[in-house]
Amino acid sequence: MLEKDFRIASNIKLANDTYLMKLEGKFDIVANPGQYVLISLDNFFLRRPFAIFDCNDNYFTILYKHVGRGTKAMTKLETGTKISVLGPLGHGFPIVTTSKKVYLVSGGVGLASIYLLAKKLKENNIPFNILVGFNSKDESYYLDELKKLDNNLQIAYFKEDNLTPIDLLKQTNVKDELVYACGPLGMLKQIDENYNGYISLEARMGCGYGICNGCPVKKRDGSGAVGVCKAGPVFKTKEVIF
């Protein structure tokens, strides 16, 4: 976990309030799918956490949505601006070798944690299907890129079709196959209760070290609480209470 300055190479609007920021620079350690970074913004005391959407030796990208003052400020950042980045942080998704198809489930900006995972599974020849959900077609994004990874991409549009990613899982008749998921809390709760796999939780992470006690969740086995920032953000289903 190291702090470095990265240069903004691009900061583009994908759909409505959803943006993709590309930052030039190299991590000093390998970033795994599901890990995140903490970004420092001028005039804001706490760093903001963002999942690593994609990366290679020369850059990484983050997917974010304008929901508050911090992310509004990010939409104004111009190409060439340098920002301080702490990361990669946390525990990501494990790449489990299996002959069975696994299911990657994303709701809203949950795709921020799922896209890199899909790329890694494809590199390892692990069969998978991507199930994504958006509130509406106007709010969808990156579909062409997802179809390059999974030509059987399944999409749920809530406003137009009254469907959610959970509905897609049920229609696919998933039973004991592994499910990887990131998205709204309600969706994650249903996956946690009904499927086996891994979920990525969102939380207000103040430090990234697990010492500020700003993002604790209780373990289901009664052994105490752990920080989402350090023990997570990825957990096994039925591992923690959230």
Side-chain angles (χ1 to χ4, degrees):
M1 177 170 56
L2 297 171
E3 181 180 1
K4 295 182 67 173
D5 285 341
F6 285 73
R7 175 187 173 275
I8 297 177
S10 60
N11 189 19
I12 60 174
K13 188 175 184 179
L14 296 181
N16 287 349
D17 292 329
T18 304
Y19 293 77
L20 185 70
M21 181 184 288
K22 181 178 180 180
L23 294 137
E24 289 183 338
K26 182 178 180 180
F27 287 127
D28 291 321
I29 56 177
V30 175
N32 296 312
Q35 286 190 293
Y36 68 98
V37 296
L38 287 173
I39 289 178
S40 179
L41 299 173
D42 290 343
N43 303 315
F44 291 89
F45 178 68
L46 291 177
R47 291 176 180 264
R48 263 60 177 179
F50 297 96
I52 299 167
F53 181 74
D54 196 7
C55 65
N56 67 13
D57 288 340
N58 302 308
Y59 73 87
F60 78 96
T61 55
I62 58 171
L63 183 72
Y64 69 97
K65 189 168 185 177
H66 169 205
V67 293
R69 292 193 309 116
T71 45
K72 181 179 180 180
M74 289 177 61
T75 68
K76 309 296 183 183
L77 294 175
E78 297 180 350
T79 299
T81 303
K82 288 186 177 181
I83 56 176
S84 173
V85 176
L86 187 66
L89 302 169
H91 288 87
F93 290 103
I95 306 299
V96 179
T97 302
T98 175
S99 59
K100 286 188 175 183
K101 181 182 288 187
V102 300
Y103 293 86
L104 313 187
V105 184
S106 163
V109 289
L111 191 60
S113 294
I114 293 297
Y115 181 71
L116 183 57
L117 174 63
K119 290 184 68 174
K120 294 298 182 182
L121 291 176
K122 195 172 187 69
E123 289 174 8
N124 285 274
N125 296 314
I126 297 173
F128 63 88
N129 190 199
I130 304 172
L131 289 65
V132 296
F134 298 100
N135 194 43
S136 67
K137 291 183 179 179
D138 289 340
E139 296 181 36
S140 64
Y141 52 86
Y142 235 64
L143 298 184
D144 289 341
E145 289 78 4
L146 290 173
K147 288 174 182 176
K148 292 176 185 176
L149 296 172
D150 176 14
N151 58 15
N152 292 313
L153 175 70
Q154 297 185 53
I155 310 169
Y157 297 112
F158 184 71
K159 283 186 177 179
E160 287 88 349
D161 304 323
N162 197 31
L163 288 175
T164 70
I166 297 297
D167 294 319
L168 297 180
L169 269 178
K170 292 177 179 177
Q171 292 173 7
T172 310
N173 198 29
V174 175
K175 294 181 179 178
D176 60 346
E177 296 91 342
L178 283 176
V179 175
Y180 295 85
C182 185
L185 194 61
M187 183 192 88
L188 294 182
K189 283 183 177 292
Q190 291 188 64
I191 290 174
D192 185 61
E193 293 171 3
N194 299 296
Y195 299 95
N196 297 315
Y198 299 88
I199 55 173
S200 179
L201 298 179
E202 289 188 11
R204 289 189 175 274
M205 302 170 186
C207 68
Y209 294 91
I211 59 175
C212 75
N213 202 33
C215 57
V217 287
K218 292 182 179 179
K219 299 200 72 175
R220 286 186 183 271
D221 62 8
S223 60
V226 294
V228 172
C229 67
K230 188 175 182 180
V234 174
F235 295 94
K236 288 182 180 179
T237 51
K238 304 171 184 64
E239 182 180 0
V240 295
I241 301 170
F242 60 96

